[in-house]
Amino acid sequence: MKARLRSRLPVVTATLVAVAFPFVTSPGKHFYAVLAVVYSLVALSLVVLTGWTGQISLGHAAFLGLGVYSGQRFLHAGVPFPAVLVIVGLASAALSLVLAVPSLRLRGVYLAIVTLAFGAACERSIFVLEWVRGIKSGIVPRASLLGFPTTTDRGLYLVGLAVLAAGLAVVHNLRRSDVGRAWFALRDSEDAAAALGVRIAPYKIGAFALSAALTTTAGVLYGMLFQATPGPSQFGVLESFFLLALPVVGGIGSVAGAVVGGALFATAQPVVNLFAIRLFLATGALLAFVAGLAGGRSRSLSMRALQRKYGVTW
C-alpha cells in the first residue's frame, strides 16, 4: 500500500503544480503554458506512434494544421467545443488511413518518405484550398467547455490541461493493456509478433488513428491560442521535424517524457531569443546532446553486461 502511494506521489505533485501554475504566475506566462499543453499532446501522439510501435511520421504537422483549420470551421459555425474535439478527432482518425494502410507494407525509411510526401502535399495543395484555409487567415473563436470560459489564456490553459489529462489517462491505460503489449511487440519485431499470432493490421491502424486524433485535438487548442489560422507554411515539413523532436528529448517511449519535452520546447523560444539563436538550431544542438548522452549510457550498460558475463575489465 505504501509502495503504491509512493509511486503515485510524483503524479499527484505534478498535477497540483500544473493546476496551481496559472494562479501563482503572471498572465504573460499563461500563453507559454497553453503552448506547453499543445506540444505535450503532440509529443504524446508521437510516443504512441514512434516510441511504442516503431512507425516514423515526418508529416505530423499536417494533422496539427488539420486540427487548426477544421476546428476553426466548426467553432465559427457554433458547434459546442466538446463536440468539435470529438468530430475533429474522429475525422483525423479516418484520414490517418492514408498513412496507416501504406504502413502495412512499408517500414523504416520507406514509410518515412510516404509520410513526408503526405505532409508536403497538405502544405502545398490541401491547406491552400478555399474551403480548408485559403490565402486569408480566419478568426478562431474561444468557446467554453461545459460552461468554463476560455476567453483568457488562463482559462484556455485549464481547459487544455483537462484535455491533456484525459489523453494521458487513455494512453497510460492502453500501455498496460493487451493493445499496448501488442504495440511493443510490433516495435521490437513485426515478424516475431506475427509468428505469435498478433494481428498486425488492426494494431498499426489503431496506432496511427490514435496518434492523429491526439494531434488534431492539439491543433484545435493551438488555433484557439492564437485566435487565428496560421498559414500553411507553419505546418510544413520543417515543423514535422520539430514536432518529432518533442518526445525524443523527454524520452521517446515515456508518457511523462512527452510532457517534459512539450514543456521544454514551449518555454525554449523566449530563452533562445535572449541569445539571438534560432529555435531550430537550438533544437538540433539539444537533440545531439540527448543522443550523445543516450549513446554513452547505452555503451556503458553494454560494457557492464560484458564484464559480468566474461569477467573482462577495461
Side-chain angles (χ1 to χ4, degrees), residues 263-308:
L264 180 62
F265 278 99
T267 56
Q269 185 66 68
V271 175
V272 297
N273 286 344
L274 295 176
F275 301 96
I277 301 175
R278 294 296 297 271
L279 182 58
F280 278 103
L281 179 61
T283 301
L286 185 59
L287 286 178
F289 173 77
V290 172
L293 189 65
R297 184 174 181 273
S298 177
R299 183 177 183 275
S300 177
L301 292 175
S302 299
M303 290 296 186
R304 292 177 186 175
L306 289 174
Q307 289 175 2
R308 287 195 300 268

Side-chain angles (χ1 to χ4, degrees), residues 11 41 83 121 171 202 257 285 310:
V11 177
L41 278 170
V171 171
Y310 298 106

Side-chain angles (χ1 to χ4, degrees), residues 44-139:
L44 186 64
S45 73
L46 288 168
V47 164
V48 173
L49 185 63
T50 304
W52 294 358
T53 62
Q55 310 299 308
I56 300 177
S57 174
L58 299 181
H60 239 56
F63 288 109
L64 186 66
L66 177 66
V68 172
Y69 299 142
S70 59
Q72 188 269 340
R73 296 291 185 181
F74 287 118
L75 290 172
H76 200 268
V79 179
F81 182 53
V84 171
L85 295 179
V86 174
I87 294 172
V88 170
L90 292 177
S92 63
L95 182 63
S96 69
L97 292 175
V98 175
L99 299 179
V101 173
S103 74
L104 302 178
R105 295 288 183 178
L106 302 174
R107 302 179 187 178
V109 65
Y110 302 104
L111 178 60
I113 292 174
V114 171
T115 59
L116 187 67
F118 170 77
C122 288
E123 176 191 3
R124 300 288 183 177
S125 303
I126 306 299
F127 291 161
V128 297
L129 297 176
E130 189 64 32
W131 57 273
V132 178
R133 193 265 186 183
I135 60 174
K136 296 181 180 179
S137 177
I139 298 176

Side-chain angles (χ1 to χ4, degrees), residues 21-263:
F21 177 81
F23 297 100
V24 297
T25 55
S26 61
K29 294 182 175 62
H30 300 165
F31 173 89
Y32 295 103
V34 180
L35 193 61
V37 169
V38 172
Y39 283 165
S40 296
L41 278 170
V42 177
L44 186 64
S45 73
L46 288 168
V47 164
V48 173
L49 185 63
T50 304
W52 294 358
T53 62
Q55 310 299 308
I56 300 177
S57 174
L58 299 181
H60 239 56
F63 288 109
L64 186 66
L66 177 66
V68 172
Y69 299 142
S70 59
Q72 188 269 340
R73 296 291 185 181
F74 287 118
L75 290 172
H76 200 268
V79 179
F81 182 53
V84 171
L85 295 179
V86 174
I87 294 172
V88 170
L90 292 177
S92 63
L95 182 63
S96 69
L97 292 175
V98 175
L99 299 179
V101 173
S103 74
L104 302 178
R105 295 288 183 178
L106 302 174
R107 302 179 187 178
V109 65
Y110 302 104
L111 178 60
I113 292 174
V114 171
T115 59
L116 187 67
F118 170 77
C122 288
E123 176 191 3
R124 300 288 183 177
S125 303
I126 306 299
F127 291 161
V128 297
L129 297 176
E130 189 64 32
W131 57 273
V132 178
R133 193 265 186 183
I135 60 174
K136 296 181 180 179
S137 177
I139 298 176
V140 181
R142 289 193 175 186
S144 61
L145 177 63
L146 303 178
F148 192 89
T150 61
T151 51
T152 63
D153 286 345
R154 183 172 71 177
L156 182 60
Y157 166 74
L158 293 175
V159 168
L161 194 64
V163 175
L164 175 61
L168 289 171
V170 170
V171 171
H172 176 71
N173 288 328
L174 282 175
R175 180 177 184 175
R176 302 173 61 184
S177 67
D178 291 339
V179 175
R181 285 185 281 272
W183 280 342
F184 282 109
L186 293 178
R187 181 196 64 185
D188 295 337
S189 174
E190 287 188 22
D191 295 333
L196 292 173
V198 177
R199 299 176 61 188
I200 305 296
Y203 290 110
K204 271 193 172 184
I205 292 174
F208 266 103
L210 177 59
S211 181
L214 289 171
T215 305
T216 49
T217 299
V220 176
L221 296 173
Y222 190 78
M224 293 175 65
L225 173 62
F226 289 95
Q227 301 185 66
T229 54
S233 60
Q234 297 295 316
F235 307 108
V237 175
L238 286 179
E239 185 68 13
S240 292
F241 280 104
F242 172 76
L243 296 179
L244 189 59
L246 298 175
V248 173
V249 172
I252 192 64
S254 170
V255 174
V259 179
V260 172

